[in-house]
Amino acid sequence: MSLSSDWKTAGTVETRHAPQFRLQSVPLRAVTLAEGFWRQRRELNTRRGMPRFLASMEEHGVLDNFRYQSGRKTGQFKQASFISDSDVYKWLEGACWTLVTEDLPELKASVDAVIDEIAAAQGEDGYLATHVPPERRWKGLAGSHELYCLGHLIQAGIAHHRATGEETLLGVARRFADLAVREFGPGKIETPDGHPEVEMALVELFRETGEQSYLDLAGFLLHQQPSEDTYPPLADRDALVGHCVRSGYLCCGGADWYAETGESGIFQTLERLWQDLVQGKMYVTGGVGQRFDGESFGLPYELPNRAYAETCAQIAHAMWAWRMLLLTGQARFADVMELILYNGFLSGVSLSGAEYFYMNPLSAQDYQRSPWFRCNCCPPNIHRTLAMLPGYMFSTSSEGVWVHLYDACEALLTMPDGTVVRLEQQTQYPWEGEVELIVTPAAEVEFTLFLRIPGWAEAAQVTVNGQPVSAAVESGTYVELRRRWQPGDRVQLSLPMPPRVVEPHPRIAEVRGSVALARGPLVYCFESVDSPAAEILDLALAPTDAAGGFTAESEPELLGGVTVLRGTGRAVCSPCAQLDELPLYRSLGSRSLPPRHDVTALAIPYYAWANRGPSAMRVWLPREV
Ligand code: FUB
Ligand code: ZN
């Protein structure tokens, strides 16, 4: 097997040989998280989330499906879900990305055991889908998810190889991919899987192996009309349509294809679709998924609070944002990636690390996370995303090194010309906006340090060794610090984080006249458990300025340690007997409302809601001046 990438130095996306990537991803092993925000979550993922989910997969028979296939066990399928094979693959991918940075013999043993079951289940010709009976092979591609599962198998195989250098799972994935290469293409099977995913995986497999036929198949599938779908191929789409996860993964595949081939039409499409996303179809939390029906996009500005916003859709769009960032080096993509990671994505997992949301609404009543779903796509998607998250923090390029995300960590970054620089980040981000970076090249060397100034950050300041910099420091861009760096140079970045009152676009009818709170990268919400003086339904805000009179207060004992926003809200009533008597609809001015009165309003980070038992939650509150 000739491998084109050096497994130890490849990132989660191998960028080094793709001509259109402006930035290079860095290997996960180059980044060590210190005591900070993401390390805590990644450790919970490793020690709680993934082990429990593996046990649940065993309990629910998901792994038995492979044993029935290999003949190691006789019995009936316990969970014949059309995606449960992919749950195992995504779990494996998460476990393997974790093993890149940590030596965990128990986890490694579990990975080996699961791979052994998978390998034994593979057919002689390479086919592997435990839920598809032989006579149905490739027959129901609109819904069968055969190529979708192959995509996740490939990604797990690559993660396993990049973690360990071993080729067992990669070999299984290649045998199935080779079968797909033999059976799909012009004059062969021409309809792709109804659920895109395999496209980006095939491009990555090309990067991993140097085998051109994988790239060719990815390109062929990308340009075909999706199976039994009314939507056109990616290149012909003017707007985001259909199932959000499918669309997000398709865009990832398109970005990867463009990175390799430079097919400009695809990039123009991606730009068009991106604008459609950020100008009309994304929630303030970074959530994606407006409609329950078909788990799909809706119209621009159709953003009901009851939001579907499937966790996988957020993940798919963060993955797309990451690829657009690598292609362009533009901060607007990193801004969306950050927004998703801290909010719409992170709300998908409990503070205990082992219960999950499938949907992430912006307003809810008695909604709870669950450790297991019949359709289980989201939990292992969370596992792999948290495992690969350190890889999203930095990039390199011929110009220098890039810092996209802020968190306490240390990174050893190698630029394309071989220059190595150690970067240490000291920060309490996202709770505080002060970030200190200690830059340590082996010897004095000139390069540019690109620091992201988030779009939300007003009046950011940067100093190097205590001196203000002359470079432009503008929100929504990267400040470019070009100089001859000496070992131990210190960069101080200050991102002021006052509470922010956010107003929606007036066309978002459901929240017209409402406001939400944010601070730094975090979106906040109001939970009924914190609002004893007023029903959450009866709470309004009366902000008079950009900070709305709210102050940020650190609460180390609350919700694993958070900064809350405390201010004055306006209760429509409390107690609400008078409101209970009010008719549902009335003629304007016919009845006077009970007098409003001020109450203390406390907002918590959105990601942390639903961790204190059932409660009601709202992100947007009416604005009453
Ligand atoms: O169809 C596979 C996965 O199941 C999708 O990505 C999710 O939306 C769920 O429907
Ligand atoms: Zn999902």
Side-chain angles (χ1 to χ4, degrees), residues 453-462 473-475 493-498:
I453 309 298
W456 49 260
E458 299 287 331
Q461 290 182 351
V462 182
V473 183
E474 287 169 17
S475 62
L493 168 65
S494 174
L495 302 167
M497 282 189 179

Side-chain angles (χ1 to χ4, degrees), residues 152-165:
H152 283 301
L153 173 63
I154 292 171
Q155 288 173 327
I158 291 171
H160 182 238
H161 182 239
R162 289 183 190 163
T164 62

Side-chain angles (χ1 to χ4, degrees), residues 146-175:
E146 287 155 282
L147 294 182
Y148 167 91
C149 288
L150 167 60
H152 283 301
L153 173 63
I154 292 171
Q155 288 173 327
I158 291 171
H160 182 238
H161 182 239
R162 289 183 190 163
T164 62
E166 294 168 25
E167 295 176 17
T168 41
L169 192 59
L170 188 62
V172 175
R174 285 197 72 170
R175 280 191 287 283

Side-chain angles (χ1 to χ4, degrees), residues 82-83 145 148 195 243 245-246 295 310 358 375 377:
F82 46 79
I83 62 158
H145 290 65
Y148 167 91
H195 197 312
H243 187 278
V245 185
R246 295 174 190 222
E295 308 183 302
E310 181 187 338
Y358 189 104
C375 177
C377 48

